[in-house]
Amino acid sequence: MYIQGLANFIDDFLGGLMLISYALVVGSVLWSFFILRVGTPAAAGDAVVTRSVKLLNIGAVSLAASVGTKLVIKGAVLAATLGELPLGPYANTVQFKAGLLRLILALGFIWVAKRLNQAPRDKRNWQIVALLTLPLVVSGAWLVHAVGRFEQRELLMITTVAHQLAAAVWFGCVAQLMVLWRTSRLNDEAKALWPLAITRFGLLGVSSVVLLLVTGLPLAWTYIGSWDGLFGTGYGSLVVTKVWLLLVALGFAFLNHRAGRLWRANAGDPTVTKKVPYYIEAETFILVGILFIAATLSSQPPSVDIPDRTAQVADVINMFKPRLPKIESPSHEALLAGEAGRVAVVDKVPSVAATEWSDYNHNVSGLFLTGMGLLAMLSYVRGLRWANYWPLGFVGLSLFLFFRSDAETWPLGPIGFWESTFGNGEVFQHRIATLLAFVLGVMELRARTHPEARKLQYVFPILCAFGGILLLTHAHAEFELKSEFLIQSTHTTMGLLAVIMAAGRWLELRLATNEGYVEGRFAGFIAISAMFLIGNFLMFYREPLY
Amino acid sequence: MIDKLLPATLRRLFLPLIACGLLLAPTAEVAAHAVVTESSLKHKPIEVNHETEVVLHFNSNVELGLSKVFLVSKGDIYHPLEIASGKKPGQVIIKVPALSEGDYAIKYKVFAADGHITEDVLRFKVSAQR
Ligand SMILES: [Cu+2]
């Protein structure tokens, strides 16, 4: 059971990784042709081109690795689920064939990247790149929801592929911008190209956003179909989250675009070199989040297919409604007594104690985070230096989790510490989570109180981004009832906030230069507010009884 | 790209972090895509001591060779059932043996054409007709 859950999670995670790699490859190709103008006399210099080919190669390698691993993991999931692996039928699935094709194409890209590295100006090589890109994009059609559907199958497949392509152009080019910025520190030619690339990317960026919307709206319409479907299902709530993140990413894109225009209007405008590179990094965080949501979406049943398991908008609002947090826990015996009925397939009896136990855990964690959020906000007020000690809350939280996350183990339950830690996968995970919260608290405390610990500061946003992605890809279990969606809607929202928190804090750290930009402090405050909101949602959290 | 992005210490931390993240993975049951949009259990309840066929409509094409369906009876005892594809796309026919009165469930594990494996449970009651 544990292995199966893990395999499933890795499967979903690889889906996200696959999308990111695909976007790196396809985006890099378009970048080469439209921004670096390879194959024309006006092409960028060899140093710039080979650096961008390097990213293309990284994308291709990780595409090959993720597709290959996914094929194996999928087999493992099948074997674990069915108790056997029928190899013939598995190799015969559309998924397997399309995956294999992608693997071969990725290997092709790796090969041509090697040739490009030696001869970046050779037109023939670029023709091969263009030739490989077409089937790579098209093969995506057999790897999406649409392929299994009965109505408008082809139309949906084409629309989805166009949607993916647009996302790939955006993400891939933004990643390439980051590489160009790095190159420009050592290379004058890249330095000269940087503001130009920003302005050239404008057109490509705007068209990819337009294509995203033009294809995304009919897809959302077909798969969701109603307001309740949008707000009352896991699929819908992921789409809503995706739209929010998209708006944030668009905000960054707008800032960059404006900086490019300013630079053209009065050459030498510093924004394009002082702030834009960091905006682009933050934008990358957000786009990675979006791509992971996109991958998770493909493992959710579309809202239109589950009208009788959809929650009403009012139910969802109820999940987020402020109320008094539950600070009284049911007894340990009551919890254990209800377990048998709760997990039964036939004669399932919902356990009130289990729900209340979970509410208490969530609510108290929420109290911790809310308190930390408040303190952290105070730390932005001058003269309140003691408020910088807010990360200590994580240490407290980890102690709380240690005692509460597994009722049946030491110190509260009968099973011993070592026995439970290494004997049960779920307990092991919780122990790691607990340890991580503790370590996070200690590290962030040092980072906030010792400004010279520059590198340590980045651990926090990276872990936040990772935690956010976990929350977003972690669809809460079997969707027997609409209550599952209600739980998921709160967790998805918290995932969204965690990604925003990561991007905000990252930007704050990057902009904390000698000039001391206001934007940095602003971004930092947004990050803290996101943490405060997560705390609020947890504090008011009530699991629906089922 | 990662190595250009992150300072050296972080680079060393990165893989362990990823590993931790994977370990934090939830041990959820499979939640995926193929769901039953219509089932004959709803409008045609199973009669006591009668072999029957239950027809399920899925929202997606299903690979029968990679799918399994079980009858679960009281005490969570599993019994594999024979499945066949119906006339319409997405239709699966399940052969259910004669059952005595009581609570049962059909547990299905199916592989949808878009590559997602779904497990779900349909609970039903067999009772003597009035
Ligand atoms: Cu939770």
Side-chain angles (χ1 to χ4, degrees):
Chain A
M1 201 63 233
Y2 167 60
I3 295 300
Q4 191 185 336
L6 190 64
N8 264 309
F9 172 76
I10 295 175
D11 187 38
D12 273 358
F13 188 80
L14 282 171
L17 220 54
M18 222 170 92
L19 264 186
I20 290 174
S21 321
Y22 163 83
L24 276 182
V25 172
V26 175
S28 297
V29 171
L30 278 138
W31 170 269
S32 310
F33 284 109
F34 289 100
I35 313 279
L36 301 185
R37 308 202 166 156
V38 292
T40 69
D46 286 3
V48 173
V49 175
T50 43
R51 284 300 291 268
S52 110
V53 167
K54 206 171 161 189
L55 186 60
L56 172 71
N57 186 46
I58 290 175
V61 169
S62 87
L63 183 64
S66 52
V67 172
T69 320
K70 201 169 158 70
L71 288 178
V72 175
I73 289 279
K74 190 67 108 196
V77 174
L78 265 174
T81 313
L82 303 179
E84 58 173 339
L85 177 60
L87 271 177
Y90 177 47
N92 223 353
T93 55
V94 177
Q95 295 302 301
F96 190 86
K97 291 178 195 159
L100 204 62
L101 175 65
R102 279 209 154 171
L103 180 61
I104 294 166
L105 289 170
L107 294 175
F109 272 107
I110 297 172
W111 172 77
V112 76
K114 197 173 248 169
R115 288 177 50 135
L116 276 172
N117 221 353
Q118 277 142 19
R121 292 199 172 256
D122 188 6
K123 258 195 181 156
R124 172 80 68 69
N125 288 337
W126 286 107
Q127 280 162 0
I128 300 176
V129 167
L131 261 174
L132 285 173
T133 308
L134 194 67
L136 180 69
V137 172
V138 174
S139 71
W142 280 270
L143 291 164
V144 295
H145 257 325
V147 73
R149 296 191 76 78
F150 310 125
E151 280 152 29
Q152 299 171 308
R153 180 170 175 261
E154 285 74 20
L155 187 64
L156 284 173
M157 281 164 77
I158 294 169
T159 317
T160 315
V161 164
H163 192 68
Q164 275 184 355
L165 178 67
V169 171
W170 189 354
F171 177 74
C173 287
V174 164
Q176 283 285 1
L177 273 174
M178 246 161 49
V179 169
L180 184 66
W181 169 249
R182 296 268 145 186
T183 316
S184 71
R185 289 181 173 178
L186 309 163
N187 181 298
D188 284 338
E189 198 188 346
K191 198 181 248 166
L193 186 61
W194 168 252
L196 214 67
I198 297 272
T199 52
R200 277 183 195 169
F201 175 58
L203 182 65
L204 203 55
V206 168
S207 14
S208 74
V209 170
V210 169
L211 186 57
L212 267 184
L213 294 179
V214 167
T215 53
L217 286 174
L219 281 176
W221 179 259
T222 315
Y223 286 138
I224 295 174
S226 69
W227 289 111
D228 283 342
L230 185 62
F231 293 105
T233 62
Y235 191 93
S237 68
L238 280 169
V239 169
V240 172
T241 311
K242 211 174 144 196
V243 169
W244 278 112
L245 282 181
L246 188 74
L247 287 177
V248 179
L250 273 176
F252 282 119
F254 170 75
L255 288 177
N256 298 339
H257 193 65
R258 199 183 54 178
R261 264 210 332 255
L262 267 174
W263 173 83
R264 239 180 333 181
N266 72 75
D269 186 85
T271 320
V272 84
T273 50
K274 296 258 172 187
K275 294 177 192 165
V276 168
Y278 306 128
Y279 290 160
I280 288 173
E281 286 178 359
E283 192 180 339
T284 313
F285 264 84
I286 303 287
L287 290 177
V288 166
I290 291 180
L291 288 172
F292 269 103
I293 295 178
T296 311
L297 265 179
S298 76
S299 67
Q300 296 279 317
S303 313
V304 282
D305 296 340
I306 45 168
D308 52 339
R309 309 187 203 192
T310 300
Q312 252 85 65
V313 174
D315 297 330
V316 181
I317 293 174
N318 191 44
M319 288 296 288
F320 292 93
K321 215 167 64 189
R323 42 165 84 81
L324 276 180
K326 183 172 177 54
I327 46 170
E328 247 172 278
S329 163
S331 81
H332 190 237
E333 290 69 33
L335 174 72
L336 292 186
E339 271 307 280
R342 193 179 67 84
V343 295
V345 176
V346 180
D347 290 341
K348 188 182 172 95
V349 190
S351 158
V352 179
T355 308
E356 288 184 344
W357 183 274
S358 163
D359 287 351
Y360 174 84
N361 284 0
H362 281 88
N363 292 171
V364 174
S365 304
L367 284 173
F368 271 107
L369 279 169
T370 307
M372 283 152 67
L374 277 178
L375 266 187
M377 284 177 181
L378 283 183
S379 75
Y380 281 81
V381 180
R382 259 174 234 291
L384 295 178
R385 290 200 60 86
W386 53 269
N388 272 322
Y389 284 87
W390 65 263
L392 269 178
F394 278 117
V395 176
L397 181 62
S398 73
L399 288 176
F400 170 74
L401 288 176
F402 179 70
F403 283 102
R404 294 288 304 188
S405 54
D406 299 287
E408 65 281 13
T409 69
W410 188 87
L412 290 182
I415 312 174
F417 177 78
W418 297 110
E419 192 190 339
S420 59
T421 305
F422 293 105
N424 179 320
E426 201 179 331
V427 177
F428 183 63
Q429 287 175 31
H430 288 158
R431 298 265 194 255
I432 299 268
T434 308
L435 182 71
L436 215 62
F438 183 84
V439 173
L440 188 63
V442 173
M443 286 203 293
E444 185 63 5
L445 182 66
R446 200 179 146 71
R448 295 266 177 177
T449 50
H450 293 72
E452 74 277 7
R454 289 282 295 166
K455 282 171 183 169
L456 205 58
Q457 295 173 329
Y458 289 95
V459 174
F460 185 69
I462 287 181
L463 276 180
C464 282
F466 209 71
I469 287 167
L470 273 181
L471 277 172
L472 291 175
T473 49
H474 162 199
H476 245 280
E478 34 171 333
F479 38 84
E480 284 189 59
L481 288 164
K482 66 177 187 184
S483 52
E484 287 292 341
F485 294 119
L486 291 177
I487 297 175
Q488 199 193 328
S489 67
T490 57
H491 285 64
T492 308
T493 311
M494 288 189 269
L496 162 75
L497 288 169
V499 171
I500 289 177
M501 194 168 144
R505 175 67 178 153
W506 182 275
L507 201 56
E508 178 183 28
L509 292 171
R510 298 304 254 169
L511 288 175
T513 50
N514 295 332
E515 289 98 332
Y517 295 111
V518 223
E519 286 93 337
R521 287 180 73 77
F522 185 63
F525 198 77
I526 287 182
I528 292 306
S529 311
M531 181 168 83
F532 178 72
L533 271 180
I534 295 176
N536 276 228
F537 289 152
L538 278 173
M539 196 164 71
F540 304 141
Y541 178 83
R542 275 283 186 283
E543 211 154 273
L545 183 66
Y546 58 94
Chain B
M1 188 182 67
I2 289 294
D3 57 308
K4 292 289 170 308
L5 234 167
L6 306 172
T9 5
L10 266 186
R11 223 179 301 150
R12 254 172 275 133
L13 269 172
F14 201 75
L15 277 179
L17 283 184
I18 296 265
C20 283
L22 288 179
L23 286 170
L24 287 176
T27 50
E29 264 189 64
V30 193
H33 166 207
V35 288
V36 171
T37 51
E38 215 190 299
S39 113
S40 67
L41 281 171
K42 257 193 188 149
H43 31 86
K44 209 181 116 220
I46 295 180
E47 288 172 42
V48 181
N49 296 324
H50 261 278
E51 270 185 40
T52 28
E53 279 186 348
V54 170
V55 185
L56 301 182
H57 288 265
F58 283 89
N59 66 339
S60 149
N61 270 314
V62 165
E63 303 273 355
L64 281 193
L66 298 170
S67 305
K68 278 205 171 139
V69 177
F70 297 91
L71 177 78
V72 190
S73 50
K74 209 173 171 69
D76 286 0
I77 297 155
Y78 285 67
H79 177 82
L81 298 178
E82 225 177 281
I83 46 174
S85 60
K87 285 193 191 94
K88 283 193 213 155
Q91 208 175 51
V92 173
I93 298 170
I94 304 168
K95 289 211 173 90
V96 179
L99 299 173
S100 52
E101 266 184 76
D103 290 323
Y104 297 90
I106 283 179
K107 173 140 193 165
Y108 63 81
K109 307 171 169 190
V110 298
F111 189 94
D114 65 358
H116 288 103
I117 305 159
T118 315
E119 279 183 52
D120 207 355
V121 177
L122 299 168
R123 297 193 172 81
F124 63 95
K125 218 181 214 11
V126 176
S127 49
Q129 269 181 342
R130 279 155 284 171

